[in-house]
Structure formats: C-alpha cells, structure tokens
Amino acid sequence: MHVLILGGTRDAMNLADLLLAAPQFTATYSLAGRTRRPLPAALPTRRGGFGGVSGLQQWLSAHHVAAVVDATHPFAAQMSAHALQACRALGLPLVRFGREPWVAGDGDNWQHCASLSAAAQRLISHGQPGQRILLATGGSTLHHFDHIHDRHFAVRCVDPPQPPPRFSSWSLIEDRGPFQLDDERRLLREQRIDTIVCKNSGGKAAQAKLLAARELGIEVIMVERPDIAPADAELFDSPSVLQWLQTRLATALSSQ
C-alpha cells in the first residue's frame, strides 16, 4: 500500500518513522520546499509543489497511491484543499493528521484575530510607539506587518527571511522548536517583549512561549486558523494515524 504523506511538521516526521518500520506500507514524504533547511525525513522524499489539483491527481495516479495523509501545517489551507479535491476526484481515502488548537486559560491575555492583516491592524490601533513585539508567524508572513514603522519586531523563524522585512527596527531570532519554558522566559525578558503575535498552530513544540507570556503578563495576539473542509478522518497522534491506515489496508485486501 503506497501512502503519500504531505509533510512539513515534526508530527509528520514522527509518522514517517512509524511507517518506515511498517513493512505493509510503502510511503513517500512530500515537502513544499518553502523551508531552506527542512528536517530530514526517514522516508523517500520529494520536494516542491505538484502543480495544483490536477498535478497532484496525476502524481497520485502515476505512483499508484492508495491513501493520503495530510500532515501539513494547520495554516497550509491551500495544500489541504488541493489534497481534498484530488482525493475526492480519485476516490482515495484522506486522513488529516492534525493538532489540537491552543485554548486560552486563566491568566492569559489573548486577543483573537481572524487573519494576519487583522493582527497587524490591532497592533496599529491598540499598540503604541516603541512597543516590542515577538513576531512568531513565519518568515513568509512578514509583509503583513511591514507598514508598521514605529515598533521593534523580534522576528523568530527557521530561516532568515528573504527578502528582509522593511521594518524600521527589527532583530532576527533564527531558531527552530521545540522550545523550552525556561528558554522562552529568558527570551521574553531579554528582548523586553510587550506583545507576542503568533498563529494558533497548536501542539506542544511552540506552546512554551504562551506559558511564559502568561507568567509574565504579556499580551498575545492569536491569529486563528483558516477554515478547512473535513477529510475522511482527523486524528491527533501518529499511532492513531497508523491504525487508520492499517484498517484501510485490511478493508482493501478483504475486498479483493
């Protein structure tokens, strides 16, 4: 059974390790190629886009894929939509390997925004000159904020952003999670952060900054996830995804 994993997350890497040890599956790991230094996968890996829905359909058919796992980032809405359309057209099962979203708790000061543009507007309308902002939304999103010139942005991302942002004052924190709580406390204090702007990516790897913000009384502007049409199933851990695939394989074999 050939499985395509649409990857790009640490969760996807964990699933790749499980499938490598499962002899009943042949799997391919796919990366969009946006990160210049992606984490290496244990499985055979392809990089780059498919060329839209039709290109993905052609690839799935040509490589005799029997099931697709969408383990992309929760904000990779276009790729998830293309996967859904291609799988529906070919009658292939699709499982989304998701992450539970973060939820504000007692002591949190979260401001919810529907988009990155809305988050930028909130900084303008509710912030003040000299504000120091930890911008943890990814290097490809900085253009949403580059019209804000009277704040300092501490930009955290995996790769240096290209092209560089047009902020009047900014610093680069080149780092990759998972992040530890002690390190996040130290970062927020050393950078004198007033506000964090981040996406509601969910999961544990990047959650520590939210716990540190709660302790330190720092505001969080939380960009909520885009709406994505449901797949055949949505699961939240690697063993459950593997079990789902094994069930699909058993069903396929029994129908032959």
Side-chain angles (χ1 to χ4, degrees), residues 109 111-113 115-137 141-155 167 169 193-198 218-223:
N109 179 16
Q111 310 302 325
H112 298 274
C113 290
S115 66
L116 290 162
S117 297
Q121 184 56 44
R122 178 166 183 93
L123 286 175
I124 293 172
S125 62
H126 290 76
Q128 56 187 353
Q131 186 177 16
R132 297 182 64 86
I133 301 154
L134 175 63
L135 192 54
T137 56
T141 68
L142 304 185
H143 63 280
H144 291 279
F145 303 89
D146 61 12
H147 59 292
I148 305 174
H149 298 295
D150 55 357
R151 323 292 162 88
H152 178 83
F153 289 94
V155 176
F167 304 141
S169 177
I193 296 300
D194 305 306
T195 300
I196 297 172
V197 181
C198 64
I218 293 173
E219 176 189 48
V220 175
I221 297 179
M222 184 67 71
V223 180

Short mmCIF file of all heavy atoms in Angstrom, two decimals, residues 109 111-113 115-137 141-155 167 169 193-198 218-223:
data_model
loop_
_atom_site.label_atom_id
_atom_site.label_comp_id
_atom_site.label_asym_id
_atom_site.label_seq_id
_atom_site.Cartn_x
_atom_site.Cartn_y
_atom_site.Cartn_z
N ASN A 109 -3.77 36.65 28.47
CA ASN A 109 -4.27 37.88 27.87
C ASN A 109 -4.15 37.75 26.36
O ASN A 109 -3.20 38.22 25.75
CB ASN A 109 -3.47 39.09 28.38
CG ASN A 109 -3.94 40.41 27.76
OD1 ASN A 109 -5.03 40.48 27.18
ND2 ASN A 109 -3.12 41.44 27.86
N GLN A 111 -5.67 38.20 22.51
CA GLN A 111 -6.55 38.94 21.61
C GLN A 111 -6.65 38.12 20.32
O GLN A 111 -5.63 37.84 19.69
CB GLN A 111 -5.99 40.34 21.32
CG GLN A 111 -5.61 41.12 22.57
CD GLN A 111 -6.76 41.30 23.53
OE1 GLN A 111 -7.91 41.46 23.13
NE2 GLN A 111 -6.46 41.27 24.85
N HIS A 112 -7.85 37.73 19.96
CA HIS A 112 -8.04 36.83 18.82
C HIS A 112 -8.26 37.64 17.54
O HIS A 112 -9.07 38.57 17.52
CB HIS A 112 -9.23 35.91 19.07
CG HIS A 112 -9.05 35.02 20.26
ND1 HIS A 112 -8.41 33.81 20.19
CD2 HIS A 112 -9.41 35.19 21.57
CE1 HIS A 112 -8.39 33.25 21.39
NE2 HIS A 112 -8.97 34.07 22.24
N CYS A 113 -7.55 37.24 16.49
CA CYS A 113 -7.69 37.89 15.19
C CYS A 113 -7.92 36.82 14.13
O CYS A 113 -7.35 35.73 14.20
CB CYS A 113 -6.44 38.70 14.85
SG CYS A 113 -6.23 40.18 15.87
N SER A 115 -7.09 36.97 10.96
CA SER A 115 -6.10 36.92 9.89
C SER A 115 -4.86 37.67 10.33
O SER A 115 -4.85 38.42 11.32
CB SER A 115 -6.66 37.54 8.61
OG SER A 115 -6.88 38.93 8.81
N LEU A 116 -3.79 37.49 9.56
CA LEU A 116 -2.56 38.23 9.83
C LEU A 116 -2.77 39.73 9.61
O LEU A 116 -2.24 40.55 10.37
CB LEU A 116 -1.45 37.71 8.91
CG LEU A 116 -0.95 36.31 9.25
CD1 LEU A 116 -0.20 35.71 8.06
CD2 LEU A 116 -0.04 36.33 10.47
N SER A 117 -3.55 40.09 8.61
CA SER A 117 -3.84 41.50 8.37
C SER A 117 -4.59 42.11 9.54
O SER A 117 -4.32 43.26 9.94
CB SER A 117 -4.64 41.67 7.08
OG SER A 117 -3.90 41.22 5.96
N ALA A 118 -5.50 41.36 10.11
CA ALA A 118 -6.24 41.84 11.28
C ALA A 118 -5.31 41.99 12.48
O ALA A 118 -5.46 42.92 13.29
CB ALA A 118 -7.39 40.90 11.60
N ALA A 119 -4.34 41.09 12.61
CA ALA A 119 -3.38 41.19 13.70
C ALA A 119 -2.54 42.47 13.55
O ALA A 119 -2.26 43.17 14.53
CB ALA A 119 -2.48 39.96 13.73
N ALA A 120 -2.13 42.76 12.32
CA ALA A 120 -1.36 43.99 12.07
C ALA A 120 -2.20 45.22 12.41
O ALA A 120 -1.70 46.18 13.01
CB ALA A 120 -0.90 44.03 10.62
N GLN A 121 -3.47 45.18 12.04
CA GLN A 121 -4.34 46.32 12.32
C GLN A 121 -4.51 46.51 13.83
O GLN A 121 -4.56 47.65 14.32
CB GLN A 121 -5.70 46.12 11.66
CG GLN A 121 -6.65 47.29 11.81
CD GLN A 121 -6.05 48.59 11.30
OE1 GLN A 121 -5.45 48.62 10.23
NE2 GLN A 121 -6.20 49.67 12.06
N ARG A 122 -4.56 45.42 14.56
CA ARG A 122 -4.70 45.55 16.02
C ARG A 122 -3.44 46.18 16.62
O ARG A 122 -3.53 46.97 17.55
CB ARG A 122 -4.97 44.19 16.66
CG ARG A 122 -5.07 44.35 18.18
CD ARG A 122 -5.65 43.21 18.92
NE ARG A 122 -5.71 43.59 20.33
CZ ARG A 122 -6.76 44.13 20.94
NH1 ARG A 122 -7.86 44.37 20.25
NH2 ARG A 122 -6.72 44.45 22.23
N LEU A 123 -2.27 45.82 16.11
CA LEU A 123 -1.05 46.45 16.60
C LEU A 123 -1.09 47.96 16.39
O LEU A 123 -0.64 48.73 17.24
CB LEU A 123 0.17 45.86 15.89
CG LEU A 123 0.59 44.44 16.29
CD1 LEU A 123 1.73 43.97 15.41
CD2 LEU A 123 1.00 44.38 17.76
N ILE A 124 -1.65 48.37 15.26
CA ILE A 124 -1.72 49.80 14.96
C ILE A 124 -2.74 50.49 15.87
O ILE A 124 -2.48 51.55 16.44
CB ILE A 124 -2.09 50.01 13.48
CG1 ILE A 124 -0.95 49.51 12.58
CG2 ILE A 124 -2.39 51.48 13.20
CD1 ILE A 124 -1.30 49.49 11.11
N SER A 125 -3.90 49.86 16.02
CA SER A 125 -4.99 50.53 16.73
C SER A 125 -4.87 50.46 18.25
O SER A 125 -5.38 51.34 18.95
CB SER A 125 -6.34 49.93 16.30
OG SER A 125 -6.40 48.55 16.63
N HIS A 126 -4.22 49.42 18.77
CA HIS A 126 -4.15 49.25 20.22
C HIS A 126 -2.73 49.31 20.77
O HIS A 126 -2.56 49.30 21.99
CB HIS A 126 -4.78 47.91 20.62
CG HIS A 126 -6.26 47.86 20.45
ND1 HIS A 126 -6.86 47.71 19.22
CD2 HIS A 126 -7.27 47.96 21.35
CE1 HIS A 126 -8.18 47.70 19.37
NE2 HIS A 126 -8.44 47.85 20.65
N GLY A 127 -1.73 49.34 19.90
CA GLY A 127 -0.36 49.41 20.36
C GLY A 127 0.10 50.84 20.54
O GLY A 127 -0.70 51.78 20.52
N GLN A 128 1.40 50.99 20.69
CA GLN A 128 1.95 52.32 20.90
C GLN A 128 3.38 52.36 20.39
O GLN A 128 4.04 51.32 20.29
CB GLN A 128 1.92 52.70 22.38
CG GLN A 128 2.64 51.72 23.28
CD GLN A 128 2.45 52.04 24.75
OE1 GLN A 128 1.88 53.06 25.11
NE2 GLN A 128 2.95 51.18 25.61
N PRO A 129 3.88 53.54 20.02
CA PRO A 129 5.27 53.65 19.56
C PRO A 129 6.24 53.09 20.60
O PRO A 129 6.05 53.25 21.81
CB PRO A 129 5.45 55.17 19.38
CG PRO A 129 4.06 55.68 19.12
CD PRO A 129 3.16 54.82 19.96
N GLY A 130 7.25 52.40 20.10
CA GLY A 130 8.23 51.80 21.00
C GLY A 130 7.88 50.41 21.47
O GLY A 130 8.69 49.76 22.13
N GLN A 131 6.70 49.94 21.14
CA GLN A 131 6.28 48.60 21.53
C GLN A 131 7.27 47.57 20.98
O GLN A 131 7.76 47.69 19.86
CB GLN A 131 4.88 48.35 20.97
CG GLN A 131 4.22 47.06 21.41
CD GLN A 131 2.79 46.95 20.86
OE1 GLN A 131 2.43 47.68 19.94
NE2 GLN A 131 2.01 46.07 21.43
N ARG A 132 7.55 46.53 21.76
CA ARG A 132 8.48 45.48 21.36
C ARG A 132 7.69 44.19 21.18
O ARG A 132 7.06 43.70 22.12
CB ARG A 132 9.60 45.32 22.39
CG ARG A 132 10.46 46.59 22.51
CD ARG A 132 11.59 46.40 23.50
NE ARG A 132 12.54 45.37 23.07
CZ ARG A 132 13.56 45.60 22.25
NH1 ARG A 132 13.75 46.82 21.73
NH2 ARG A 132 14.39 44.62 21.91
N ILE A 133 7.74 43.65 19.98
CA ILE A 133 6.85 42.58 19.55
C ILE A 133 7.66 41.36 19.15
O ILE A 133 8.58 41.47 18.33
CB ILE A 133 5.98 43.05 18.36
CG1 ILE A 133 5.15 44.27 18.76
CG2 ILE A 133 5.09 41.92 17.85
CD1 ILE A 133 4.78 45.15 17.60
N LEU A 134 7.32 40.22 19.72
CA LEU A 134 7.85 38.95 19.23
C LEU A 134 6.93 38.49 18.11
O LEU A 134 5.76 38.16 18.35
CB LEU A 134 7.92 37.89 20.33
CG LEU A 134 8.35 36.49 19.86
CD1 LEU A 134 9.77 36.50 19.29
CD2 LEU A 134 8.25 35.48 21.00
N LEU A 135 7.44 38.48 16.89
CA LEU A 135 6.66 38.10 15.72
C LEU A 135 7.03 36.66 15.36
O LEU A 135 8.12 36.40 14.85
CB LEU A 135 6.94 39.05 14.56
CG LEU A 135 6.02 39.00 13.35
CD1 LEU A 135 4.56 39.18 13.75
CD2 LEU A 135 6.41 40.08 12.34
N ALA A 136 6.13 35.74 15.67
CA ALA A 136 6.40 34.31 15.50
C ALA A 136 5.38 33.69 14.57
O ALA A 136 4.76 32.67 14.88
CB ALA A 136 6.39 33.60 16.86
N THR A 137 5.20 34.32 13.41
CA THR A 137 4.20 33.87 12.44
C THR A 137 4.81 33.25 11.20
O THR A 137 4.09 32.85 10.30
CB THR A 137 3.30 35.05 12.02
OG1 THR A 137 4.13 36.10 11.50
CG2 THR A 137 2.50 35.58 13.19
N THR A 141 5.43 35.60 6.21
CA THR A 141 4.25 36.40 6.56
C THR A 141 4.60 37.84 6.92
O THR A 141 3.70 38.63 7.23
CB THR A 141 3.52 35.78 7.77
OG1 THR A 141 4.36 35.91 8.94
CG2 THR A 141 3.23 34.29 7.54
N LEU A 142 5.85 38.22 6.88
CA LEU A 142 6.28 39.49 7.45
C LEU A 142 5.72 40.69 6.69
O LEU A 142 5.57 41.78 7.25
CB LEU A 142 7.80 39.57 7.49
CG LEU A 142 8.50 38.42 8.24
CD1 LEU A 142 10.00 38.67 8.31
CD2 LEU A 142 7.92 38.23 9.63
N HIS A 143 5.39 40.50 5.41
CA HIS A 143 4.88 41.62 4.61
C HIS A 143 3.55 42.14 5.15
O HIS A 143 3.18 43.29 4.87
CB HIS A 143 4.73 41.21 3.15
CG HIS A 143 3.73 40.10 2.94
ND1 HIS A 143 4.04 38.77 3.18
CD2 HIS A 143 2.44 40.12 2.53
CE1 HIS A 143 2.98 38.03 2.90
NE2 HIS A 143 2.00 38.82 2.52
N HIS A 144 2.85 41.34 5.91
CA HIS A 144 1.59 41.82 6.51
C HIS A 144 1.84 42.92 7.53
O HIS A 144 0.91 43.66 7.87
CB HIS A 144 0.86 40.65 7.17
CG HIS A 144 0.32 39.64 6.22
ND1 HIS A 144 -0.86 39.81 5.54
CD2 HIS A 144 0.81 38.44 5.83
CE1 HIS A 144 -1.09 38.76 4.77
NE2 HIS A 144 -0.08 37.91 4.94
N PHE A 145 3.06 43.02 8.03
CA PHE A 145 3.37 43.96 9.11
C PHE A 145 4.35 45.05 8.70
O PHE A 145 4.68 45.91 9.52
CB PHE A 145 3.95 43.18 10.31
CG PHE A 145 3.06 42.09 10.82
CD1 PHE A 145 3.14 40.80 10.30
CD2 PHE A 145 2.12 42.34 11.81
CE1 PHE A 145 2.31 39.79 10.76
CE2 PHE A 145 1.29 41.33 12.28
CZ PHE A 145 1.38 40.06 11.75
N ASP A 146 4.83 45.03 7.46
CA ASP A 146 5.95 45.92 7.12
C ASP A 146 5.56 47.38 6.95
O ASP A 146 6.42 48.23 6.71
CB ASP A 146 6.71 45.41 5.89
CG ASP A 146 5.87 45.34 4.64
OD1 ASP A 146 4.75 45.90 4.63
OD2 ASP A 146 6.32 44.73 3.65
N HIS A 147 4.26 47.69 7.09
CA HIS A 147 3.86 49.10 7.07
C HIS A 147 3.84 49.71 8.48
O HIS A 147 3.48 50.88 8.63
CB HIS A 147 2.47 49.23 6.43
CG HIS A 147 1.40 48.44 7.15
ND1 HIS A 147 1.38 47.07 7.16
CD2 HIS A 147 0.32 48.85 7.88
CE1 HIS A 147 0.34 46.65 7.86
NE2 HIS A 147 -0.31 47.72 8.31
N ILE A 148 4.23 48.93 9.47
CA ILE A 148 4.27 49.42 10.86
C ILE A 148 5.72 49.80 11.16
O ILE A 148 6.59 48.94 11.25
CB ILE A 148 3.77 48.33 11.84
CG1 ILE A 148 2.37 47.86 11.44
CG2 ILE A 148 3.77 48.87 13.27
CD1 ILE A 148 1.87 46.69 12.26
N HIS A 149 5.98 51.07 11.34
CA HIS A 149 7.37 51.54 11.38
C HIS A 149 7.82 52.06 12.75
O HIS A 149 8.97 52.41 12.91
CB HIS A 149 7.59 52.65 10.33
CG HIS A 149 7.38 52.18 8.94
ND1 HIS A 149 8.18 51.23 8.33
CD2 HIS A 149 6.44 52.52 8.01
CE1 HIS A 149 7.77 51.01 7.10
NE2 HIS A 149 6.72 51.77 6.88
N ASP A 150 6.93 52.15 13.71
CA ASP A 150 7.32 52.76 14.98
C ASP A 150 7.39 51.75 16.12
O ASP A 150 7.25 52.10 17.28
CB ASP A 150 6.36 53.90 15.35
CG ASP A 150 4.91 53.45 15.36
OD1 ASP A 150 4.65 52.26 15.04
OD2 ASP A 150 4.04 54.27 15.70
N ARG A 151 7.59 50.48 15.79
CA ARG A 151 7.73 49.42 16.79
C ARG A 151 9.02 48.64 16.51
O ARG A 151 9.58 48.72 15.42
CB ARG A 151 6.54 48.44 16.76
CG ARG A 151 5.19 49.07 16.48
CD ARG A 151 4.71 49.96 17.61
NE ARG A 151 3.67 50.86 17.15
CZ ARG A 151 2.37 50.58 17.13
NH1 ARG A 151 1.94 49.41 17.55
NH2 ARG A 151 1.49 51.48 16.71
N HIS A 152 9.44 47.86 17.50
CA HIS A 152 10.55 46.94 17.27
C HIS A 152 10.00 45.52 17.16
O HIS A 152 9.26 45.06 18.03
CB HIS A 152 11.57 46.99 18.41
CG HIS A 152 12.70 46.00 18.22
ND1 HIS A 152 13.78 46.26 17.43
CD2 HIS A 152 12.87 44.74 18.70
CE1 HIS A 152 14.60 45.22 17.43
NE2 HIS A 152 14.06 44.28 18.18
N PHE A 153 10.38 44.83 16.09
CA PHE A 153 9.94 43.46 15.87
C PHE A 153 11.12 42.51 16.09
O PHE A 153 12.16 42.63 15.43
CB PHE A 153 9.42 43.28 14.45
CG PHE A 153 8.10 43.94 14.19
CD1 PHE A 153 8.05 45.23 13.66
CD2 PHE A 153 6.91 43.30 14.48
CE1 PHE A 153 6.84 45.85 13.41
CE2 PHE A 153 5.70 43.90 14.24
CZ PHE A 153 5.66 45.19 13.71
N ALA A 154 10.95 41.59 17.02
CA ALA A 154 11.88 40.47 17.17
C ALA A 154 11.29 39.32 16.37
O ALA A 154 10.27 38.73 16.75
CB ALA A 154 12.04 40.10 18.63
N VAL A 155 11.88 39.03 15.23
CA VAL A 155 11.33 38.06 14.28
C VAL A 155 11.97 36.70 14.52
O VAL A 155 13.19 36.55 14.40
CB VAL A 155 11.59 38.52 12.83
CG1 VAL A 155 11.10 37.47 11.84
CG2 VAL A 155 10.93 39.86 12.56
N PHE A 167 10.94 46.63 8.14
CA PHE A 167 10.71 47.26 9.43
C PHE A 167 11.79 48.31 9.71
O PHE A 167 12.95 48.12 9.34
CB PHE A 167 10.73 46.22 10.56
CG PHE A 167 9.76 45.09 10.39
CD1 PHE A 167 10.13 43.80 10.73
CD2 PHE A 167 8.49 45.30 9.88
CE1 PHE A 167 9.25 42.73 10.59
CE2 PHE A 167 7.60 44.25 9.73
CZ PHE A 167 7.98 42.97 10.08
N SER A 169 12.81 48.96 12.69
CA SER A 169 13.61 48.41 13.78
C SER A 169 13.23 46.94 13.95
O SER A 169 12.06 46.63 14.21
CB SER A 169 13.35 49.19 15.08
OG SER A 169 14.06 48.61 16.17
N ILE A 193 9.94 41.99 25.64
CA ILE A 193 8.77 41.84 24.78
C ILE A 193 7.51 42.31 25.50
O ILE A 193 7.26 41.94 26.65
CB ILE A 193 8.61 40.37 24.32
CG1 ILE A 193 9.81 39.95 23.47
CG2 ILE A 193 7.30 40.17 23.57
CD1 ILE A 193 10.02 40.74 22.20
N ASP A 194 6.72 43.14 24.81
CA ASP A 194 5.42 43.58 25.31
C ASP A 194 4.27 42.74 24.78
O ASP A 194 3.26 42.55 25.45
CB ASP A 194 5.14 45.04 24.89
CG ASP A 194 6.25 45.97 25.29
OD1 ASP A 194 6.59 45.99 26.48
OD2 ASP A 194 6.77 46.69 24.42
N THR A 195 4.43 42.26 23.53
CA THR A 195 3.34 41.58 22.82
C THR A 195 3.93 40.46 21.97
O THR A 195 4.99 40.63 21.36
CB THR A 195 2.57 42.56 21.91
OG1 THR A 195 2.03 43.61 22.71
CG2 THR A 195 1.45 41.87 21.16
N ILE A 196 3.24 39.34 21.95
CA ILE A 196 3.57 38.23 21.04
C ILE A 196 2.49 38.16 19.97
O ILE A 196 1.30 38.22 20.27
CB ILE A 196 3.64 36.89 21.79
CG1 ILE A 196 4.76 36.90 22.83
CG2 ILE A 196 3.82 35.72 20.82
CD1 ILE A 196 4.76 35.68 23.74
N VAL A 197 2.90 38.03 18.72
CA VAL A 197 1.97 37.75 17.63
C VAL A 197 2.31 36.37 17.09
O VAL A 197 3.45 36.12 16.68
CB VAL A 197 2.06 38.79 16.50
CG1 VAL A 197 1.05 38.47 15.41
CG2 VAL A 197 1.84 40.20 17.04
N CYS A 198 1.34 35.46 17.10
CA CYS A 198 1.59 34.11 16.62
C CYS A 198 0.32 33.51 16.02
O CYS A 198 -0.77 34.03 16.22
CB CYS A 198 2.12 33.22 17.74
SG CYS A 198 0.95 32.95 19.10
N ILE A 218 2.24 39.03 29.55
CA ILE A 218 2.45 39.59 28.21
C ILE A 218 1.24 39.31 27.33
O ILE A 218 0.70 38.20 27.31
CB ILE A 218 3.73 38.99 27.59
CG1 ILE A 218 4.95 39.48 28.38
CG2 ILE A 218 3.85 39.34 26.12
CD1 ILE A 218 6.25 38.82 27.96
N GLU A 219 0.82 40.31 26.59
CA GLU A 219 -0.30 40.16 25.66
C GLU A 219 0.08 39.24 24.50
O GLU A 219 1.21 39.28 23.99
CB GLU A 219 -0.69 41.53 25.11
CG GLU A 219 -1.78 41.48 24.05
CD GLU A 219 -1.99 42.82 23.37
OE1 GLU A 219 -0.99 43.45 22.95
OE2 GLU A 219 -3.15 43.24 23.25
N VAL A 220 -0.88 38.42 24.07
CA VAL A 220 -0.70 37.55 22.91
C VAL A 220 -1.78 37.89 21.88
O VAL A 220 -2.98 37.86 22.20
CB VAL A 220 -0.80 36.06 23.29
CG1 VAL A 220 -0.74 35.18 22.04
CG2 VAL A 220 0.31 35.68 24.26
N ILE A 221 -1.36 38.24 20.68
CA ILE A 221 -2.31 38.40 19.57
C ILE A 221 -2.30 37.08 18.82
O ILE A 221 -1.30 36.71 18.18
CB ILE A 221 -1.92 39.57 18.67
CG1 ILE A 221 -2.00 40.88 19.46
CG2 ILE A 221 -2.82 39.64 17.45
CD1 ILE A 221 -1.60 42.11 18.67
N MET A 222 -3.41 36.35 18.92
CA MET A 222 -3.50 34.99 18.39
C MET A 222 -4.27 35.00 17.07
O MET A 222 -5.45 35.36 17.03
CB MET A 222 -4.21 34.09 19.39
CG MET A 222 -4.26 32.62 18.99
SD MET A 222 -2.63 31.84 18.95
CE MET A 222 -2.24 31.76 20.71
N VAL A 223 -3.59 34.61 16.00
CA VAL A 223 -4.23 34.51 14.69
C VAL A 223 -4.88 33.14 14.58
O VAL A 223 -4.20 32.11 14.70
CB VAL A 223 -3.21 34.72 13.56
CG1 VAL A 223 -3.89 34.62 12.19
CG2 VAL A 223 -2.50 36.08 13.72
#
